[in-house]
Amino acid sequence: DDLFSTQEERDDAKLERVKILPVNELVPFKDHPFKILDDEDMHKLIESIKEYGVYTPLMARPLPDGNGYELISGHRRLAACESLGIEEIPVIVRNMSDDEAVIAMVDANLQRESVLPSEKAFAYKMKLEAIKHQGKTSTQVGQKLLSVEKVAEDVGESRNQVKRYIRLTYLIPELL
């Protein structure tokens, strides 16, 4: 088939699309720092999905063994669908490295309205480690950015505030 397809058809095949996947093929992100609370917001989400369906697709990446997908964003939507007994859900499947997946997961979840300080702390720490692995550099001067400065810039906090949040991750669980 590749011999008889056009370049346009090959390029089109590489584009990411929304796929309808079985809920049981999705596994949560490893060490996901954001909790799924059974609160009023979750009940509103469940009612919305029950009435209108899932508006925004989840994002996932293929598991290395090829058996399923690791959820990057949409953990609350997935939990709501599971509670409603929905068996299939729209998902954007994107190939990502571990570091890219961590950054995407943190960025997607920090947009929520209510994020606990402990959740921010672990999310900032995960993003910081992922950026350190990638070795991001400034495009303007070609010098390595301090990773904590990149996290602070991305989340709209000061560098010192990001460091304070990350220090929370070292507290014993009872204090956290």
Side-chain angles (χ1 to χ4, degrees):
D1 282 345
D2 282 343
L3 290 174
F4 299 108
S5 63
T6 66
Q7 183 62 40
E8 185 177 316
E9 291 170 329
R10 288 190 294 271
D11 291 342
D12 185 56
K14 291 179 187 175
L15 295 176
E16 64 184 36
R17 291 186 171 72
V18 175
K19 297 179 180 182
I20 304 299
L21 296 178
V23 167
N24 62 3
E25 288 188 17
L26 297 166
V27 297
F29 194 86
K30 184 179 181 259
D31 299 326
H32 189 260
F34 300 95
K35 294 173 182 56
I36 298 172
L37 302 174
D38 187 19
D39 58 6
E40 184 181 335
D41 288 339
M42 180 56 110
H43 293 285
K44 286 179 185 176
L45 177 61
I46 290 170
E47 287 304 312
S48 173
I49 290 174
K50 185 189 295 184
E51 189 170 339
Y52 304 108
V54 178
Y55 277 140
T56 307
L58 289 66
M59 185 186 307
R61 68 178 181 159
L63 289 171
D65 63 6
N67 294 323
Y69 302 87
E70 181 179 39
L71 196 56
I72 304 296
S73 70
H75 291 76
R76 293 178 69 245
R77 282 170 277 160
L78 177 62
C81 288
E82 287 174 333
S83 74
L84 291 168
I86 294 174
E87 295 180 7
E88 294 183 324
I89 192 164
V91 180
I92 296 171
V93 177
R94 184 177 292 171
N95 290 315
M96 294 186 219
S97 69
D98 290 345
D99 293 333
E100 290 169 331
V102 166
I103 292 169
M105 181 273 302
V106 169
D107 289 347
N109 282 284
L110 285 176
Q111 295 173 9
R112 292 189 348 221
E113 288 180 24
S114 58
V115 178
L116 297 172
S118 59
E119 293 173 334
K120 276 187 183 180
F122 284 101
Y124 289 174
K125 185 177 181 181
M126 288 176 78
K127 184 169 181 170
L128 179 65
E129 291 303 315
I131 289 173
K132 282 181 181 179
H133 290 141
Q134 288 184 331
K136 294 279 186 190
T137 58
S138 169
T139 55
Q140 295 171 338
V141 292
Q143 296 176 334
K144 270 198 161 187
L145 287 174
L146 287 175
S147 300
V148 72
E149 288 175 355
K150 176 70 174 133
V151 172
E153 179 183 310
D154 288 352
V155 299
E157 303 262 11
S158 72
R159 183 180 69 179
N160 288 336
Q161 185 66 19
V162 169
K163 287 181 179 180
R164 284 186 207 104
Y165 273 113
I166 292 173
R167 280 196 299 250
L168 291 176
T169 64
Y170 298 105
L171 292 173
I172 59 174
E174 291 80 19
L175 288 176
L176 188 60

